[in-house]
């Protein structure tokens, strides 16, 4: 789903952040701990003896000793103990790290449609491992909790507080939503169109570590009183795909578990026959290494069982009416006038090689009272989408309602068969059509595009902005079109490189309509021109300076009416608060919501009120980790030897004095990016004044352990013109790392022999390559959830869209697995046992460790039970941090890797010309459906 299209109903739903509440601690006997791959016994004994003095030193500094954490004691989490012979069980990192990770998270905010009330959605820090250990089905790229019939590992809120936003901008007293079961897990919090009612799902703990099925509840916003939506106790929510939507202010359309469903299918003891896949028709089908796919007919039956929903129209007065037949509905979307419903579903034949997002897809139109009108499309199975970047599915796609019209549909259709390698003009065509065409009306063409369609921002009959882009060239264009005026020709508004952040003009701000949708806001300046509000990040060579421009859509002239403070603070425009449901917004009545933060002050929210631009603070959240409030942060700039400008954020511990403390051990943590030009690669991204948010596995945690942290040093992999960036991946990787290390050493803040490197996913891949090809730079490395052998991802990875057979040397030379014999520095590998990311199978770390061990490399592999690509359980995270801290203390702080490793020969320290990664993310969303949280504001 396009992010632009999501904005049309952004304020009508609230999605979840990846957090879940803590529960009672675990019994140690049930979860003995992560799986460790250790060196041979002789190596273990010598390593254990070498570590005895470090354990004593850590105890003296308060990092070890007896646990004062009752949850740790009951769950089997042991405090720091470096005896590798007793390495079973989960461990706790030093207390200074624990305290930061366990800090209570701040609530999530959600504004009412009329912006007069704010929800504070309460949450807890980290879930226990028992939440992840619940049985789950892995079907068609989706992980399902069969007992509760929802996605497994689903986060939740613990409470809902309602605040009125007073006329002076301050918050009224909190009113808690009440009436639902104590200790319930809350999901899918959604405002009704008029903001008078909340809907949400509730699930509770049951026996045997199980969670109940989800029930839909509604709450009166004025009183806070909640009650079940359905009177019958036998109607449960099916939240495998969509959940529920407000059809009008008193009616919801809910995906429910069919009441007559029965027990799940039983797996046959004896299969009906062999598993057969055939390509006797010689089709070219290239797919990436998707995970959790269907394996056989039984899996397909089980997928149908859990994913099939019965739609129910449910009114607040208790009236219930089934709608349509049971089906695997993936989205339900009411028209802006609430008269129609667009229902998307998937159906058989299913596939064993692609996730459900590519299964046959049907889109139908129904009336809001449950009458079928027509089928919009029925797309076939899409196993053959080319792997080339910018390739798409054939047929209608991106089907949405026009937010400025009562019931007009629009969509796009490819003209190149979905294959980005096919040269054709136009490449995409955008169509429009009424929900119920009259007298055989044919779809109307809105616009034809030569690049790939990227979304539409709608305003009214005379204005819409259409976006197109092409990844290979990084070209992006914005078109001005008049949707309902045939005599006005489309024209290009912006034509630029998506990599050139300095030229980004910003995005139009949206206002809410009387129908509850969101359209481009027009501003009245008391003249004849048409003005928009462009909200931009304001990238500059000194860092981001966000802005709000008054933009004349006809002349292109702009006036800056608001800009972030540059000296101390980083401010951004979050939302337009002076919504006017019809017509233009008067400039002198403008009201916006902004966020404000600094290097040491966490984010707070403010109202900016025109014409005086009065600033009123709304929130006053406490500092999440006051022990690091006085940390030092600087955005540093330096140059690669080929002239490319690089940047990084340098962090130093609170109270650090270079003249007294001297150079520190340093942790470099990064993730490579791919660019088409040196100029774009050298542009500054981010702000030196942004608050230093510290996540549960952030490298910034080691500020509390006295490390200097070089966070996010730019590692650009550049391929200008027709040159493939990956063909010089290793060379560019090493030169970027050399420049970063030289800079922190030159500044005197990092000890040249005590610099460690680390990263997650593609950053782990980077880490392994740097230890193989630049052993002169780093004393050790930490690689989490990485891929190390590119021959195991033969049909592309990251943004590499050549296959292994088209670029064999690139795949081989860039794989650190193939250079395992060159690694001379200690490397810690950590991986989730249930990693479902398409490029980073857990097997990647297993095989890489075996290769390292086969060459006598100091290495350690930690497999975290039940964890996926990212780690979420408290036990897992704490153990990951313990492992990382142990590694850094032993091989970085104490410097034992220099003494224990063979010196690199001249040949080994030279850079190699090879190939490698990309930018974006290591893998794709496995189920093919958007999991991006809908806007909270």
């Amino acid at each position: 789903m396009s992010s632009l299209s999501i904005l049309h109903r952004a304020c009508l739903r609230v999605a979840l952040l990846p957090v879940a509440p803590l529960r009672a601690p675990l019994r140690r006997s049930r979860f003995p701990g992560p799986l460790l791959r250790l060196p041979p016994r002789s190596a273990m004994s010598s390593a254990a003896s070498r570590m005895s003095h470090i354990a004593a030193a850590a105890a003296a500094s308060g990092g070890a000793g007896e646990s004062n954490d009752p949850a740790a004691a009951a769950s089997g989490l042991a405090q720091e103990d470096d005896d590798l012979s007793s390495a079973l069980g989960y461990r706790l990192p030093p207390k200074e790290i624990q305290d930061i990770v366990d800090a209570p998270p701040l609530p999530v905010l959600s504004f009412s449609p009329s912006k007069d009330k704010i929800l504070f959605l309460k949450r807890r820090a980290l879930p226990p491992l028992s939440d992840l250990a619940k049985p789950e089905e892995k079907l068609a790229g989706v992980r399902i909790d069969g007992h509760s019939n929802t996605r497994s590992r689903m986060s939740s809120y613990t409470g809902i507080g309602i605040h009125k936003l007073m006329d002076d901008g301050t918050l009224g007293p909190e009113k808690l939503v009440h009436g639902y079961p104590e200790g319930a897990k809350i999901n899918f919090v959604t405002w009704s169109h008029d903001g008078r009612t909340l809907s949400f799902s509730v699930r509770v703990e049951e026996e045997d570590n199980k969670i109940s099925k989800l029930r839909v509840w509604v709450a009166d916003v004025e009183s806070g009183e909640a009650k079940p939506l359905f009177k019958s106790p036998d109607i449960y929510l099916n939240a495998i795909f969509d959940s529920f939507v407000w059809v009008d202010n008193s009616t919801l359309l809910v995906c429910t578990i069919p009441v007559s469903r029965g027990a799940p299918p039983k797996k046959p003891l004896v299969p009906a026959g062999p598993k057969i896949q055939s390509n006797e028709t010689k089709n070219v089908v290239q797919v990436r290494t998707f995970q959790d796919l269907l394996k056989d007919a039984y899996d397909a039956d089980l997928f149908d069982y859990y994913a099939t929903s019965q739609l129910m129209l449910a009114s607040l007065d208790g009236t219930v009416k089934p709608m349509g037949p049971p089906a695997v509905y993936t989205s339900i979307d009411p028209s802006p006038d609430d008269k129609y419903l667009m229902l998307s579903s998937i159906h058989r034949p299913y596939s064993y090689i692609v996730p459900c997002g590519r299964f046959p897809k049907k889109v139908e139109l129904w009336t809001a009272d449950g009458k079928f009108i027509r089928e919009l499309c029925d797309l076939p199975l899409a196993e053959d989408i080319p792997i080339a970047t910018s390739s798409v599915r054939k047929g209608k796609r991106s089907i949405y309602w026009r937010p400025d019209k009562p019931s007009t549909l629009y969509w796009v259709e490819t003209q190149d068969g979905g294959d980005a390698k096919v040269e054709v003009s136009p490449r995409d065509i955008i169509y429009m059509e009424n929900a119920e065409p009259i007298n055989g009306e044919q779809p109307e063409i809105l616009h034809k595009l030569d690049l790939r369609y990227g979304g539409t921002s709608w305003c009214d009959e005379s204005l819409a902005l259409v976006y197109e882009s092409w990844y290979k060239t990084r070209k992006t264009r914005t078109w001005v079109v008049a949707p309902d005026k045939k005599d006005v020709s489309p024209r290009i508004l912006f034509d630029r490189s998506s990599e050139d952040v300095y030229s980004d003009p910003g995005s139009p701000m949206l206002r809410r309509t009387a129908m509850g949708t969101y359209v481009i806001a027009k501003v009245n300046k008391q003249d004849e021109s048409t003005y928009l509000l462009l909200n931009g990040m304001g990238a500059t060579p000194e860092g981001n300076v966000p802005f709000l421009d008054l933009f004349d859509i006809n002349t292109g002239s702009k006036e800056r009416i608001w800009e972030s403070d540059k000296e101390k603070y980083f401010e951004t425009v979050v939302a337009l608060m002076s919504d006017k449901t019809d017509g233009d917004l008067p400039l002198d009545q403008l009201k916006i919501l902004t966020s404000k933060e600094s290097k040491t002050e966490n984010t707070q929210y403010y109202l900016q009120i025109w014409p005086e631009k009065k600033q009123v603070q709304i929130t006053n959240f406490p500092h999440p980790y006051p022990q690091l409030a006085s940390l030092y942060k600087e955005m540093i700039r330096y140059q690669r030897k080929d002239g490319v400008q690089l940047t990084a954020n340098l962090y130093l511990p609170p109270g650090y004095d270079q003249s007294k403390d001297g150079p520190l051990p340093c942790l470099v943590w990064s993730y490579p990016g791919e660019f088409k030009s040196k100029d774009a690669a050298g542009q500054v991204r981010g702000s030196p004044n942004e608050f230093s948010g510290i996540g549960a596995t952030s490298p910034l945690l080691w500020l509390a352990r006295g490390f200097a942290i070089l966070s996010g040093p730019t590692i650009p992999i550049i391929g200008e013109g027709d040159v493939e960036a990956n063909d010089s991946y290793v060379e560019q990787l090493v030169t970027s790392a050399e420049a970063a290390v030289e800079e922190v050493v030159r500044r005197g803040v990092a000890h040249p022999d005590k610099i460690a490197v680390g990263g997650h996913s593609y950053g782990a891949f980077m880490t392994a390559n740097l230890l193989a090809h630049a052993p002169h730079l780093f004393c050790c490395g930490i690689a989490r959830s990485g891929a190390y052998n590119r021959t195991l991802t033969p049909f592309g990875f990251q943004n590499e869209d050549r296959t292994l057979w088209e670029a064999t040397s690139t795949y081989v030379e860039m794989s650190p697995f193939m250079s395992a014999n060159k690694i001379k520095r200690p490397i810690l590998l950590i991986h989730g046992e249930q990693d479902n990311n398409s490029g980073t199978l857990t097997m990647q770390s297993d095989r890489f460790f075996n290769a390292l061990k086969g060459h006598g490399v100091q290495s350690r592999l930690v497999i975290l039970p039940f964890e996926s690509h990212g780690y979420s359980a408290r036990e897992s995270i704490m153990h990951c941090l313990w492992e990382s801290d142990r590694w850094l203390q032993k091989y970085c702080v104490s410097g034992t890797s220099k003494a224990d490793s063979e010196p690199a020969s001249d040949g080994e320290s030279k850079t190699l010309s090879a190939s490698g990664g990309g930018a974006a993310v290591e893998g794709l969303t496995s189920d093919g459906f958007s999991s991006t949280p809908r806007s909270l504001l």
Side-chain angles (χ1 to χ4, degrees):
M1 179 183 294
S2 163
S3 58
L4 292 166
S5 300
I6 290 174
L7 285 173
H8 295 163
R9 286 186 178 268
C11 294
L12 302 185
R13 300 191 188 184
V14 176
L16 299 172
L17 292 185
V19 295
L22 277 167
R23 287 185 45 219
L26 308 174
R27 291 190 180 94
R28 183 173 184 178
S29 59
R30 187 168 180 197
F31 304 109
L35 306 176
L36 304 181
R37 306 289 193 270
L38 301 175
R41 184 171 297 276
S42 59
M44 276 180 55
S45 59
S46 61
S49 65
R50 287 198 303 270
M51 284 304 297
S52 59
H53 68 284
I54 295 180
S61 66
E66 294 184 6
S67 172
N68 59 0
D69 184 345
S75 65
L77 284 170
Q79 283 283 359
E80 183 174 1
D81 175 8
D82 224 4
D83 180 4
L84 296 186
S85 63
S86 60
L88 296 178
Y90 287 93
R91 306 298 184 88
L92 285 170
K95 188 175 185 302
E96 53 263 45
I97 289 180
Q98 286 184 57
D99 290 345
I100 299 172
V101 176
D102 281 336
L106 299 177
V108 174
L109 305 188
S110 172
F111 284 80
S112 65
S114 56
K115 306 294 196 305
D116 62 340
K117 296 180 180 68
I118 309 176
L119 299 184
F120 278 50
L121 303 172
K122 316 295 178 66
R123 53 199 180 109
R124 294 178 187 165
L126 298 173
L129 190 61
S130 57
D131 277 10
L132 274 64
K134 291 178 174 64
E136 64 181 358
E137 305 291 345
K138 301 172 183 177
L139 304 168
V142 180
R143 293 187 170 180
I144 296 172
D145 181 336
H147 188 74
S148 60
N149 216 106
T150 187
R151 298 286 182 108
S152 61
R153 307 162 185 257
M154 191 166 69
S155 57
S156 62
Y157 298 113
T158 59
I160 304 173
I162 304 173
H163 292 267
K164 284 187 177 180
L165 187 59
M166 312 305 285
D167 292 338
D168 61 358
T170 60
L171 292 181
E174 184 176 68
K175 181 183 300 177
L176 291 175
V177 174
H178 58 277
Y180 55 82
E182 185 178 354
K185 298 175 184 288
I186 299 170
N187 293 85
F188 310 119
V189 183
T190 312
W191 293 92
S192 62
H193 300 351
D194 59 9
R196 296 180 179 179
T197 311
L198 296 175
S199 57
F200 53 95
S201 71
V202 165
R203 53 195 167 122
V204 296
E205 295 282 352
E206 292 182 341
E207 295 180 357
D208 300 325
N209 191 37
K210 292 181 179 178
I211 297 292
S212 69
K213 292 182 174 62
L214 283 72
R215 297 185 185 277
V216 182
W217 283 62
V218 291
D220 178 72
V221 171
E222 194 61 34
S223 67
E225 184 175 352
K227 65 178 182 179
L229 175 65
F230 296 105
K231 295 180 179 178
S232 170
D234 298 323
I235 300 179
Y236 298 100
L237 177 68
N238 187 337
I240 301 299
F241 292 109
D242 214 336
S243 53
F244 49 80
V245 295
W246 287 93
V247 175
D248 55 44
N249 290 321
S250 62
T251 308
L252 291 107
L253 181 61
V254 184
C255 294
T256 68
I257 299 172
V259 175
S260 60
R261 182 175 70 173
K266 292 184 178 180
K267 187 169 186 176
L269 296 176
V270 178
K275 301 175 183 178
I276 298 173
Q277 298 185 56
S278 174
N279 192 37
E280 296 177 64
T281 55
K282 298 183 179 182
N283 293 328
V284 176
V285 178
Q286 300 177 349
V287 296
R288 295 203 173 186
T289 49
F290 297 114
Q291 302 296 297
D292 300 341
L293 302 177
L294 299 179
K295 298 181 292 296
D296 51 32
Y298 168 73
D299 273 2
D301 291 342
L302 204 60
F303 176 76
D304 277 338
Y305 176 83
Y306 288 118
T308 297
S309 295
Q310 173 62 63
L311 297 180
M312 289 283 213
L313 286 166
S315 297
L316 298 181
D317 61 8
T319 305
V320 175
K321 176 185 176 182
M323 176 179 162
V328 182
Y329 294 105
T330 56
S331 71
I332 47 180
D333 189 10
S335 62
D337 62 5
D338 296 330
K339 292 183 178 180
Y340 300 96
L341 294 165
M342 182 166 56
L343 308 179
S344 299
S345 62
I346 55 178
H347 60 83
R348 294 179 184 243
Y350 296 153
S351 170
Y352 298 152
I353 64 172
V354 294
C356 57
R358 297 192 183 186
F359 287 179
K361 177 182 179 180
K362 183 183 295 185
V363 183
E364 297 177 335
L365 207 58
W366 292 64
T367 62
D369 58 359
K371 296 179 182 178
F372 175 78
I373 298 177
R374 64 188 177 108
E375 181 182 285
L376 297 178
C377 66
D378 190 353
L379 305 178
L381 179 65
E383 290 183 330
D384 58 348
I385 298 177
I387 62 173
T389 309
S390 301
S391 294
V392 295
R393 188 173 191 160
K394 300 174 186 176
K396 292 182 179 180
R397 70 181 198 277
S398 300
I399 309 175
Y400 300 112
W401 297 103
R402 269 184 64 172
D404 63 319
K405 292 288 185 180
S407 54
T408 299
L409 295 159
Y410 72 99
W411 68 89
V412 63
E413 294 185 31
T414 180
Q415 306 301 299
D416 57 11
D419 190 347
K421 292 184 177 180
V422 173
E423 295 295 333
V424 65
S425 179
R427 191 173 291 276
D428 275 338
I429 298 179
I430 311 167
Y431 295 92
M432 300 184 299
E433 187 178 47
N434 290 325
E436 294 189 80
I438 302 173
N439 300 324
E441 288 179 333
Q442 294 300 307
E444 179 183 348
I445 293 178
L446 173 66
H447 193 35
K448 297 180 179 180
L449 302 171
D450 284 338
L451 308 181
R452 188 64 76 203
Y453 173 73
T456 304
S457 293
W458 298 87
C459 184
D460 52 30
E461 69 281 350
S462 63
L463 176 63
L465 301 180
V466 176
Y467 309 95
E468 63 173 340
S469 63
W470 197 247
Y471 178 76
K472 276 292 186 183
T473 60
R474 308 302 198 272
K475 178 180 282 293
T476 179
R477 293 181 186 142
T478 302
W479 291 82
V480 177
V481 298
D484 301 326
K485 296 189 176 182
K486 308 305 176 193
D487 57 335
V488 179
S489 299
R491 62 183 176 87
I492 293 178
L493 183 64
F494 304 120
D495 189 350
R496 46 182 290 273
S497 168
S498 60
E499 291 183 336
D500 182 11
V501 293
Y502 292 169
S503 70
D504 188 348
S507 302
M509 298 206 71
L510 307 179
R511 67 169 178 86
R512 186 172 181 267
T513 70
M515 297 182 293
T517 58
Y518 285 80
V519 299
I520 295 174
K522 284 184 178 179
V523 175
N524 182 353
K525 199 183 173 185
Q526 298 181 339
D527 58 25
E528 299 299 320
S529 293
T530 300
Y531 295 96
L532 310 183
L533 293 170
L534 294 185
N535 177 18
M537 290 306 296
T540 74
E542 288 71 44
N544 289 353
V545 183
F547 63 83
L548 188 64
D549 280 351
L550 193 64
F551 180 75
D552 189 325
I553 193 71
N554 298 314
T555 66
S557 62
K558 63 180 77 171
E559 175 189 349
R560 189 139 300 178
I561 61 174
W562 178 89
E563 187 175 68
S564 170
D565 177 86
K566 301 177 184 178
E567 302 304 319
K568 180 180 179 182
Y569 292 102
F570 176 70
E571 302 170 282
T572 62
V573 175
V574 179
L576 184 63
M577 300 294 284
S578 54
D579 274 2
K580 186 178 179 186
T581 55
D582 291 300
D584 298 349
L585 301 176
L587 180 60
D588 60 0
Q589 296 178 24
L590 190 63
K591 186 188 298 184
I592 60 174
L593 179 73
T594 62
S595 66
K596 185 177 183 179
E597 62 195 76
S598 73
K599 297 175 183 179
T600 57
E601 299 172 47
N602 55 303
T603 304
Q604 307 293 349
Y605 293 96
Y606 294 77
L607 283 179
Q608 305 276 350
I609 304 172
W610 268 250
E612 297 87 0
K613 297 185 182 179
K614 177 184 176 183
Q615 182 173 275
V616 180
Q617 184 171 347
I618 296 177
T619 63
N620 188 24
F621 296 128
H623 197 293
Y625 18 87
Q627 60 271 51
L628 294 181
S630 60
L631 62 80
Y632 175 85
K633 175 188 176 182
E634 180 184 355
M635 179 181 282
I636 63 174
R637 299 166 180 80
Y638 50 99
Q639 193 175 85
R640 203 164 74 176
K641 66 182 182 181
D642 61 357
V644 176
Q645 297 295 317
L646 305 176
T647 59
N649 285 315
L650 174 63
Y651 296 88
L652 299 173
Y656 171 72
D657 185 332
Q658 185 175 345
S659 62
K660 296 179 181 178
D661 302 325
L664 300 173
C666 178
L667 175 58
V668 177
W669 199 272
S670 192
Y671 192 100
E674 198 172 285
F675 294 88
K676 289 300 293 181
S677 75
K678 291 182 178 180
D679 288 342
Q683 292 183 351
V684 176
R685 292 162 173 82
S687 166
N689 297 325
E690 287 181 87
F691 179 68
S692 305
I694 302 179
T697 56
S698 169
L700 299 187
L701 290 166
W702 276 272
L703 288 169
R705 296 286 279 163
F707 275 71
I709 308 296
L710 193 66
S711 178
T714 48
I715 311 284
I717 311 299
I718 305 165
E720 295 187 306
D722 294 330
V723 175
E724 293 286 349
N726 285 346
D727 288 344
S728 57
Y729 173 84
V730 170
E731 180 181 357
Q732 295 192 61
L733 181 72
V734 172
T735 56
S736 296
E738 284 176 334
V741 168
E742 288 170 3
E743 180 63 18
V744 292
V745 170
R746 182 191 67 79
R747 288 170 172 259
V749 297
H751 193 292
D753 293 333
K754 297 182 178 182
I755 300 177
V757 63
H760 184 93
S761 192
Y762 206 55
F765 172 74
M766 169 205 75
T767 297
N769 263 312
L770 285 173
L771 293 184
H773 303 295
H776 57 295
L777 296 179
F778 303 104
C779 61
C780 65
I782 301 172
R784 300 176 185 165
S785 299
Y788 310 103
N789 183 353
R790 286 304 169 191
T791 68
L792 297 177
T793 56
F795 289 109
F797 55 90
Q798 289 290 106
N799 295 308
E800 176 60 71
D801 55 13
R802 295 172 295 175
T803 71
L804 169 63
W805 300 272
E806 292 171 324
T808 304
S809 61
T810 297
Y811 274 69
V812 171
E813 291 172 10
M814 61 164 296
S815 298
F817 178 87
M818 303 299 181
S819 300
N821 61 318
K822 299 178 182 178
I823 295 179
K824 305 301 180 184
R825 302 299 183 209
I827 181 169
L828 171 64
L829 305 176
I830 302 176
H831 216 121
E833 189 177 31
Q834 304 293 328
D835 194 333
N836 63 342
N837 191 51
S838 66
T840 54
L841 295 75
T842 307
M843 174 181 64
Q844 288 270 8
S845 286
D846 272 319
R847 293 188 176 180
F848 188 41
F849 177 73
N850 288 335
L852 295 169
K853 188 169 60 173
H855 290 88
V857 179
Q858 285 179 306
S859 53
R860 182 174 171 94
L861 171 61
V862 180
I863 302 295
L864 299 173
F866 305 115
E867 294 290 352
S868 185
H869 190 57
Y871 319 138
S872 58
R874 183 176 186 269
E875 293 89 336
S876 303
I877 287 172
M878 291 298 184
H879 189 88
C880 172
L881 298 175
W882 176 82
E883 293 279 0
S884 301
D885 187 70
R886 171 192 171 275
W887 206 253
L888 292 171
Q889 296 298 326
K890 178 175 182 179
Y891 295 113
C892 184
V893 174
S894 299
T896 59
S897 70
K898 292 288 185 180
D900 296 341
S901 300
E902 296 178 6
S905 68
D906 292 340
E908 289 170 340
S909 64
K910 293 179 180 177
T911 62
L912 302 178
S913 178
S915 65
V921 294
E922 179 67 47
L924 308 173
T925 304
S926 62
D927 61 10
F929 291 99
S930 173
S931 59
T932 304
R934 290 183 170 97
S935 173
L936 301 176
L937 297 165

